[in-house]
Amino acid sequence: AGVIGESGVSHPITLNETKCLHAAAIAQKETGASITVHTACDALGARSAIDAASCLLEFEADLSRVVMGHVDTFAHDIEYLVSIIEMGCSVAFDLFGNETFHSEYGFAIPGDSEKIRSVVALCDRGLAEHIFLGHDTAMKIQLRKYGGYGYGHIIRNIVPRFRLSGLDEKDINQMLIENPKRMFCVDSI
């Protein structure tokens, strides 16, 4: 499949989640595959991506082949996102199209406009090679047939908005083509 994961973590990371991250690091070393991590959302100051990266580093994972998912809830905190990237990981804005989700656990998923501003800000810092895009389409209501944006939302709606925001075509191609091509291939060991 080219990827190990999505390994989920809480904040703080539990003992069983640590065991799973250790197993992912071992599997990465044996297969050369990348790792994706389902991070905890921005509730009550949760910063699980840094903790997960530190844990994976302790287990000698190659952080250049790790994607921290669901960072959308931190779209307002560019410095936190940069700190994840500075550790060597990539980040995934993978909740595009989730415009109205507010949790009883104290977090809200920012709308697409805020996500776009964050992606553009990171690209302006020269970090496009560390950004992945997605929309986590997992429920029937998210499909176009049932009123959702569907699987084509990023191409149909978000890419034109990136262009209107002044994002360079090179950065768009980096995020949509080059990054997945690099991250989700398995080099022979």
Side-chain angles (χ1 to χ4, degrees):
V3 65
I4 300 158
E6 173 177 53
S7 295
V9 295
S10 308
H11 184 76
I13 296 174
T14 68
L15 179 59
N16 283 334
E17 291 165 349
T18 300
K19 290 177 190 177
C20 290
L21 290 173
H22 189 189
I26 291 169
Q28 183 193 57
K29 283 187 254 185
E30 291 183 10
T31 65
S34 60
I35 298 170
T36 60
V37 179
H38 181 292
T39 61
C41 295
D42 184 18
L44 308 175
R47 295 290 191 259
S48 65
I50 295 292
D51 294 342
S54 297
C55 187
L56 287 167
L57 191 58
E58 180 182 331
F59 297 130
E60 301 176 355
D62 178 359
L63 295 187
S64 72
R65 297 195 45 78
V66 173
V67 179
M68 294 295 170
H70 307 311
V71 301
D72 309 66
T73 61
F74 298 99
H76 63 283
D77 192 348
I78 297 297
E79 296 311 315
Y80 176 65
L81 300 173
V82 169
S83 69
I84 297 166
I85 293 168
E86 285 176 344
M87 289 191 74
C89 299
S90 291
V91 295
F93 287 83
D94 48 11
L95 297 170
F96 276 102
N98 290 283
E99 293 282 345
T100 58
F101 182 82
H102 296 277
S103 169
E104 66 275 15
Y105 300 109
F107 68 91
I109 297 174
D112 286 352
S113 293
E114 189 170 355
K115 292 173 207 166
I116 288 167
R117 282 191 295 276
S118 294
V119 169
V120 170
L122 291 171
C123 288
D124 286 347
R125 292 184 183 208
L127 299 173
E129 69 182 54
H130 299 284
I131 302 171
F132 288 78
L133 306 173
H135 34 58
D136 207 21
T137 300
M139 297 177 285
K140 185 164 82 170
I141 196 168
Q142 293 172 298
L143 301 175
R144 288 181 78 185
K145 179 177 182 178
Y146 298 98
Y149 288 113
Y151 292 110
H153 178 53
I154 289 174
I155 300 299
R156 190 173 41 256
N157 302 314
I158 301 304
V159 169
R161 290 174 67 185
F162 280 148
R163 290 182 180 122
L164 288 172
S165 297
L167 199 59
D168 188 282
E169 285 300 316
K170 182 180 176 215
D171 288 338
I172 293 169
N173 287 334
Q174 182 70 46
M175 293 182 293
L176 292 178
I177 299 167
E178 298 305 320
N179 292 349
K181 185 167 52 172
R182 179 188 78 247
M183 190 64 72
F184 300 123
C185 71
V186 178
D187 297 328
S188 58
I189 313 174

